[in-house]
mmCIF file of all heavy atoms in Angstrom:
data_model
loop_
_atom_site.group_PDB
_atom_site.id
_atom_site.type_symbol
_atom_site.label_atom_id
_atom_site.label_comp_id
_atom_site.label_asym_id
_atom_site.label_seq_id
_atom_site.Cartn_x
_atom_site.Cartn_y
_atom_site.Cartn_z
ATOM 1 N N PHE A 1 133.018 117.363 -72.625
ATOM 2 C CA PHE A 1 132.377 118.356 -73.454
ATOM 3 C C PHE A 1 133.423 119.022 -74.362
ATOM 4 O O PHE A 1 133.177 119.167 -75.552
ATOM 5 C CB PHE A 1 131.714 119.463 -72.562
ATOM 6 C CG PHE A 1 131.056 120.524 -73.356
ATOM 7 C CD1 PHE A 1 129.671 120.349 -73.747
ATOM 8 C CD2 PHE A 1 131.689 121.711 -73.646
ATOM 9 C CE1 PHE A 1 129.080 121.448 -74.471
ATOM 10 C CE2 PHE A 1 131.044 122.733 -74.384
ATOM 11 C CZ PHE A 1 129.716 122.577 -74.809
ATOM 12 N N ASP A 2 134.628 119.280 -73.809
ATOM 13 C CA ASP A 2 135.692 119.823 -74.593
ATOM 14 C C ASP A 2 136.158 118.843 -75.653
ATOM 15 O O ASP A 2 136.291 119.235 -76.836
ATOM 16 C CB ASP A 2 136.809 120.192 -73.679
ATOM 17 C CG ASP A 2 138.056 120.543 -74.435
ATOM 18 O OD1 ASP A 2 138.009 120.877 -75.623
ATOM 19 O OD2 ASP A 2 139.191 120.606 -73.724
ATOM 20 N N PHE A 3 136.300 117.569 -75.241
ATOM 21 C CA PHE A 3 136.856 116.563 -76.176
ATOM 22 C C PHE A 3 135.978 116.284 -77.328
ATOM 23 O O PHE A 3 136.384 116.059 -78.495
ATOM 24 C CB PHE A 3 137.198 115.331 -75.373
ATOM 25 C CG PHE A 3 138.025 114.270 -76.116
ATOM 26 C CD1 PHE A 3 139.363 114.480 -76.259
ATOM 27 C CD2 PHE A 3 137.389 113.159 -76.641
ATOM 28 C CE1 PHE A 3 140.142 113.531 -76.999
ATOM 29 C CE2 PHE A 3 138.193 112.226 -77.341
ATOM 30 C CZ PHE A 3 139.542 112.414 -77.481
ATOM 31 N N PHE A 4 134.641 116.104 -77.158
ATOM 32 C CA PHE A 4 133.749 115.598 -78.073
ATOM 33 C C PHE A 4 132.929 116.733 -78.815
ATOM 34 O O PHE A 4 132.525 116.463 -79.924
ATOM 35 C CB PHE A 4 132.750 114.627 -77.486
ATOM 36 C CG PHE A 4 133.354 113.300 -77.113
ATOM 37 C CD1 PHE A 4 133.500 112.994 -75.734
ATOM 38 C CD2 PHE A 4 133.824 112.386 -78.050
ATOM 39 C CE1 PHE A 4 134.081 111.707 -75.317
ATOM 40 C CE2 PHE A 4 134.349 111.190 -77.666
ATOM 41 C CZ PHE A 4 134.473 110.842 -76.346
ATOM 42 N N LEU A 5 132.782 117.848 -78.162
ATOM 43 C CA LEU A 5 131.786 118.773 -78.758
ATOM 44 C C LEU A 5 132.304 120.138 -79.128
ATOM 45 O O LEU A 5 131.590 120.979 -79.613
ATOM 46 C CB LEU A 5 130.618 118.976 -77.725
ATOM 47 C CG LEU A 5 129.790 117.682 -77.428
ATOM 48 C CD1 LEU A 5 128.829 117.899 -76.303
ATOM 49 C CD2 LEU A 5 129.066 117.196 -78.675
ATOM 50 N N THR A 6 133.576 120.392 -78.833
ATOM 51 C CA THR A 6 134.109 121.700 -79.211
ATOM 52 C C THR A 6 135.252 121.544 -80.244
ATOM 53 O O THR A 6 135.971 120.467 -80.225
ATOM 54 C CB THR A 6 134.703 122.435 -77.995
ATOM 55 O OG1 THR A 6 135.812 121.665 -77.463
ATOM 56 C CG2 THR A 6 133.649 122.580 -76.902
ATOM 57 N N ALA A 7 135.403 122.512 -81.091
ATOM 58 C CA ALA A 7 136.363 122.524 -82.114
ATOM 59 C C ALA A 7 137.781 122.870 -81.557
ATOM 60 O O ALA A 7 137.701 123.870 -80.739
ATOM 61 C CB ALA A 7 135.977 123.396 -83.260
ATOM 62 N N PRO A 8 138.777 122.194 -81.833
ATOM 63 C CA PRO A 8 138.827 120.924 -82.731
ATOM 64 C C PRO A 8 138.430 119.764 -81.884
ATOM 65 O O PRO A 8 138.873 119.619 -80.794
ATOM 66 C CB PRO A 8 140.324 120.804 -83.075
ATOM 67 C CG PRO A 8 141.088 121.534 -81.977
ATOM 68 C CD PRO A 8 140.181 122.648 -81.513
ATOM 69 N N VAL A 9 137.548 118.856 -82.501
ATOM 70 C CA VAL A 9 136.982 117.716 -81.764
ATOM 71 C C VAL A 9 138.156 116.728 -81.511
ATOM 72 O O VAL A 9 139.134 116.665 -82.240
ATOM 73 C CB VAL A 9 135.781 117.085 -82.557
ATOM 74 C CG1 VAL A 9 134.696 118.064 -82.564
ATOM 75 C CG2 VAL A 9 136.321 116.638 -83.932
ATOM 76 N N HIS A 10 137.908 115.810 -80.511
ATOM 77 C CA HIS A 10 138.823 114.804 -80.172
ATOM 78 C C HIS A 10 140.234 115.279 -79.729
ATOM 79 O O HIS A 10 141.190 114.622 -79.834
ATOM 80 C CB HIS A 10 138.908 113.739 -81.278
ATOM 81 C CG HIS A 10 137.633 113.083 -81.655
ATOM 82 N ND1 HIS A 10 137.423 112.520 -82.883
ATOM 83 C CD2 HIS A 10 136.479 113.010 -80.966
ATOM 84 C CE1 HIS A 10 136.163 112.062 -82.870
ATOM 85 N NE2 HIS A 10 135.564 112.357 -81.817
ATOM 86 N N ARG A 11 140.189 116.513 -79.272
ATOM 87 C CA ARG A 11 141.435 117.104 -78.697
ATOM 88 C C ARG A 11 141.055 117.940 -77.498
ATOM 89 O O ARG A 11 139.979 118.555 -77.467
ATOM 90 C CB ARG A 11 142.164 117.970 -79.721
ATOM 91 C CG ARG A 11 142.772 117.169 -80.906
ATOM 92 C CD ARG A 11 143.392 118.056 -81.916
ATOM 93 N NE ARG A 11 144.449 118.930 -81.325
ATOM 94 C CZ ARG A 11 145.029 119.975 -81.945
ATOM 95 N NH1 ARG A 11 144.650 120.310 -83.238
ATOM 96 N NH2 ARG A 11 145.929 120.634 -81.404
ATOM 97 N N PHE A 12 141.876 117.928 -76.477
ATOM 98 C CA PHE A 12 141.660 118.704 -75.289
ATOM 99 C C PHE A 12 142.135 120.158 -75.454
ATOM 100 O O PHE A 12 142.837 120.826 -74.688
ATOM 101 C CB PHE A 12 142.347 118.089 -74.071
ATOM 102 C CG PHE A 12 141.651 116.823 -73.639
ATOM 103 C CD1 PHE A 12 142.318 115.629 -73.752
ATOM 104 C CD2 PHE A 12 140.323 116.803 -73.138
ATOM 105 C CE1 PHE A 12 141.717 114.456 -73.336
ATOM 106 C CE2 PHE A 12 139.785 115.610 -72.652
ATOM 107 C CZ PHE A 12 140.487 114.462 -72.824
ATOM 108 N N THR A 13 141.615 120.791 -76.557
ATOM 109 C CA THR A 13 141.870 122.188 -76.819
ATOM 110 C C THR A 13 140.630 122.767 -77.328
ATOM 111 O O THR A 13 139.693 122.172 -77.900
ATOM 112 C CB THR A 13 142.988 122.388 -77.866
ATOM 113 O OG1 THR A 13 142.567 121.699 -79.114
ATOM 114 C CG2 THR A 13 144.341 121.902 -77.397
ATOM 115 N N ILE A 14 140.444 124.175 -77.117
ATOM 116 C CA ILE A 14 139.219 124.885 -77.549
ATOM 117 C C ILE A 14 139.672 126.110 -78.267
ATOM 118 O O ILE A 14 140.482 126.904 -77.787
ATOM 119 C CB ILE A 14 138.355 125.210 -76.364
ATOM 120 C CG1 ILE A 14 138.015 123.911 -75.469
ATOM 121 C CG2 ILE A 14 137.094 125.951 -76.725
ATOM 122 C CD1 ILE A 14 137.284 124.328 -74.226
ATOM 123 N N ASP A 15 139.099 126.334 -79.495
ATOM 124 C CA ASP A 15 139.454 127.507 -80.294
ATOM 125 C C ASP A 15 138.414 128.704 -80.019
ATOM 126 O O ASP A 15 138.784 129.815 -79.977
ATOM 127 C CB ASP A 15 139.360 127.144 -81.803
ATOM 128 C CG ASP A 15 140.501 126.200 -82.207
ATOM 129 O OD1 ASP A 15 141.493 126.166 -81.398
ATOM 130 O OD2 ASP A 15 140.382 125.570 -83.272
ATOM 131 N N ASP A 16 137.138 128.325 -79.724
ATOM 132 C CA ASP A 16 136.172 129.399 -79.567
ATOM 133 C C ASP A 16 136.057 129.812 -78.106
ATOM 134 O O ASP A 16 135.780 128.976 -77.250
ATOM 135 C CB ASP A 16 134.839 128.769 -80.055
ATOM 136 C CG ASP A 16 133.702 129.884 -80.112
ATOM 137 O OD1 ASP A 16 133.926 130.946 -79.491
ATOM 138 O OD2 ASP A 16 132.715 129.597 -80.760
ATOM 139 N N PRO A 17 136.250 131.098 -77.910
ATOM 140 C CA PRO A 17 136.170 131.541 -76.463
ATOM 141 C C PRO A 17 134.793 131.325 -75.793
ATOM 142 O O PRO A 17 134.690 131.074 -74.610
ATOM 143 C CB PRO A 17 136.349 133.125 -76.581
ATOM 144 C CG PRO A 17 137.167 133.263 -77.846
ATOM 145 C CD PRO A 17 136.630 132.109 -78.763
ATOM 146 N N ASP A 18 133.746 131.267 -76.633
ATOM 147 C CA ASP A 18 132.354 130.940 -76.083
ATOM 148 C C ASP A 18 132.398 129.530 -75.580
ATOM 149 O O ASP A 18 131.742 129.198 -74.536
ATOM 150 C CB ASP A 18 131.372 131.132 -77.160
ATOM 151 C CG ASP A 18 131.104 132.603 -77.451
ATOM 152 O OD1 ASP A 18 131.493 133.452 -76.572
ATOM 153 O OD2 ASP A 18 130.601 132.920 -78.586
ATOM 154 N N ASP A 19 133.083 128.663 -76.196
ATOM 155 C CA ASP A 19 133.097 127.241 -75.743
ATOM 156 C C ASP A 19 133.897 127.122 -74.492
ATOM 157 O O ASP A 19 133.531 126.307 -73.598
ATOM 158 C CB ASP A 19 133.681 126.331 -76.826
ATOM 159 C CG ASP A 19 132.715 126.084 -77.975
ATOM 160 O OD1 ASP A 19 131.514 126.264 -77.768
ATOM 161 O OD2 ASP A 19 133.170 125.755 -79.079
ATOM 162 N N ILE A 20 134.949 127.971 -74.334
ATOM 163 C CA ILE A 20 135.672 127.935 -73.083
ATOM 164 C C ILE A 20 134.762 128.369 -71.920
ATOM 165 O O ILE A 20 134.741 127.763 -70.833
ATOM 166 C CB ILE A 20 136.899 128.904 -73.152
ATOM 167 C CG1 ILE A 20 137.863 128.369 -74.203
ATOM 168 C CG2 ILE A 20 137.616 129.052 -71.814
ATOM 169 C CD1 ILE A 20 139.068 129.340 -74.397
ATOM 170 N N GLU A 21 133.997 129.305 -72.163
ATOM 171 C CA GLU A 21 133.042 129.858 -71.106
ATOM 172 C C GLU A 21 132.051 128.741 -70.803
ATOM 173 O O GLU A 21 131.710 128.606 -69.604
ATOM 174 C CB GLU A 21 132.303 131.054 -71.669
ATOM 175 C CG GLU A 21 131.369 131.720 -70.664
ATOM 176 C CD GLU A 21 130.699 132.995 -71.242
ATOM 177 O OE1 GLU A 21 131.530 133.781 -71.815
ATOM 178 O OE2 GLU A 21 129.524 133.100 -71.092
ATOM 179 N N VAL A 22 131.536 128.029 -71.760
ATOM 180 C CA VAL A 22 130.598 126.945 -71.435
ATOM 181 C C VAL A 22 131.263 125.884 -70.638
ATOM 182 O O VAL A 22 130.628 125.375 -69.642
ATOM 183 C CB VAL A 22 129.985 126.299 -72.826
ATOM 184 C CG1 VAL A 22 129.220 125.057 -72.501
ATOM 185 C CG2 VAL A 22 129.198 127.378 -73.558
ATOM 186 N N VAL A 23 132.486 125.461 -70.929
ATOM 187 C CA VAL A 23 133.123 124.385 -70.207
ATOM 188 C C VAL A 23 133.374 124.921 -68.667
ATOM 189 O O VAL A 23 133.072 124.117 -67.810
ATOM 190 C CB VAL A 23 134.539 124.047 -70.868
ATOM 191 C CG1 VAL A 23 135.300 123.168 -69.901
ATOM 192 C CG2 VAL A 23 134.291 123.402 -72.155
ATOM 193 N N VAL A 24 133.804 126.082 -68.500
ATOM 194 C CA VAL A 24 133.967 126.619 -67.200
ATOM 195 C C VAL A 24 132.732 126.616 -66.418
ATOM 196 O O VAL A 24 132.613 126.211 -65.228
ATOM 197 C CB VAL A 24 134.648 128.022 -67.159
ATOM 198 C CG1 VAL A 24 134.721 128.641 -65.802
ATOM 199 C CG2 VAL A 24 136.015 127.967 -67.809
ATOM 200 N N LEU A 25 131.665 127.164 -67.067
ATOM 201 C CA LEU A 25 130.284 127.212 -66.346
ATOM 202 C C LEU A 25 129.818 125.777 -66.062
ATOM 203 O O LEU A 25 129.264 125.597 -64.986
ATOM 204 C CB LEU A 25 129.385 127.976 -67.223
ATOM 205 C CG LEU A 25 129.526 129.511 -67.299
ATOM 206 C CD1 LEU A 25 128.533 130.072 -68.359
ATOM 207 C CD2 LEU A 25 129.302 130.092 -65.946
ATOM 208 N N LEU A 26 130.099 124.904 -66.932
ATOM 209 C CA LEU A 26 129.709 123.430 -66.784
ATOM 210 C C LEU A 26 130.270 122.914 -65.423
ATOM 211 O O LEU A 26 129.594 122.315 -64.636
ATOM 212 C CB LEU A 26 129.995 122.617 -67.959
ATOM 213 C CG LEU A 26 129.452 121.203 -68.027
ATOM 214 C CD1 LEU A 26 127.999 121.161 -67.888
ATOM 215 C CD2 LEU A 26 129.956 120.564 -69.267
ATOM 216 N N VAL A 27 131.575 123.145 -65.317
ATOM 217 C CA VAL A 27 132.282 122.551 -64.144
ATOM 218 C C VAL A 27 131.801 123.269 -62.866
ATOM 219 O O VAL A 27 131.510 122.705 -61.846
ATOM 220 C CB VAL A 27 133.802 122.740 -64.343
ATOM 221 C CG1 VAL A 27 134.510 122.293 -63.067
ATOM 222 C CG2 VAL A 27 134.330 121.919 -65.446
ATOM 223 N N VAL A 28 131.674 124.723 -62.982
ATOM 224 C CA VAL A 28 131.239 125.420 -61.753
ATOM 225 C C VAL A 28 129.831 125.093 -61.356
ATOM 226 O O VAL A 28 129.522 124.847 -60.172
ATOM 227 C CB VAL A 28 131.361 126.987 -62.103
ATOM 228 C CG1 VAL A 28 130.711 127.757 -60.932
ATOM 229 C CG2 VAL A 28 132.842 127.404 -62.235
ATOM 230 N N VAL A 29 128.979 124.997 -62.334
ATOM 231 C CA VAL A 29 127.562 124.617 -62.005
ATOM 232 C C VAL A 29 127.534 123.220 -61.506
ATOM 233 O O VAL A 29 126.742 122.926 -60.526
ATOM 234 C CB VAL A 29 126.664 124.802 -63.280
ATOM 235 C CG1 VAL A 29 125.261 124.247 -62.995
ATOM 236 C CG2 VAL A 29 126.461 126.313 -63.660
ATOM 237 N N GLY A 30 128.199 122.343 -62.109
ATOM 238 C CA GLY A 30 128.251 120.973 -61.636
ATOM 239 C C GLY A 30 128.712 120.817 -60.149
ATOM 240 O O GLY A 30 128.150 120.152 -59.302
ATOM 241 N N ALA A 31 129.809 121.603 -59.886
ATOM 242 C CA ALA A 31 130.260 121.597 -58.467
ATOM 243 C C ALA A 31 129.291 122.232 -57.462
ATOM 244 O O ALA A 31 129.112 121.695 -56.378
ATOM 245 C CB ALA A 31 131.627 122.334 -58.456
ATOM 246 N N ALA A 32 128.675 123.315 -57.921
ATOM 247 C CA ALA A 32 127.625 123.980 -57.073
ATOM 248 C C ALA A 32 126.482 123.047 -56.754
ATOM 249 O O ALA A 32 125.916 122.942 -55.659
ATOM 250 C CB ALA A 32 127.164 125.310 -57.657
ATOM 251 N N VAL A 33 126.009 122.326 -57.880
ATOM 252 C CA VAL A 33 124.883 121.403 -57.724
ATOM 253 C C VAL A 33 125.263 120.320 -56.708
ATOM 254 O O VAL A 33 124.459 119.957 -55.809
ATOM 255 C CB VAL A 33 124.493 120.899 -59.025
ATOM 256 C CG1 VAL A 33 123.622 119.641 -58.875
ATOM 257 C CG2 VAL A 33 123.803 121.919 -59.860
ATOM 258 N N GLY A 34 126.532 119.963 -56.768
ATOM 259 C CA GLY A 34 126.993 118.854 -55.905
ATOM 260 C C GLY A 34 126.943 119.271 -54.375
ATOM 261 O O GLY A 34 126.601 118.549 -53.577
ATOM 262 N N GLU A 35 127.371 120.557 -54.198
ATOM 263 C CA GLU A 35 127.357 121.082 -52.870
ATOM 264 C C GLU A 35 126.009 121.271 -52.286
ATOM 265 O O GLU A 35 125.664 120.892 -51.150
ATOM 266 C CB GLU A 35 128.067 122.405 -52.797
ATOM 267 C CG GLU A 35 129.568 122.349 -52.900
ATOM 268 C CD GLU A 35 130.184 121.575 -51.828
ATOM 269 O OE1 GLU A 35 129.968 121.781 -50.599
ATOM 270 O OE2 GLU A 35 131.020 120.641 -52.129
#
């Protein structure tokens, strides 16, 4: 999600704090769903 859909694209960096929040939530929700 970070690499393809957040600016700057194709880099493992995120400029927008909202996108950072989405990435963290994505990992947390995914882990919770797995449990």
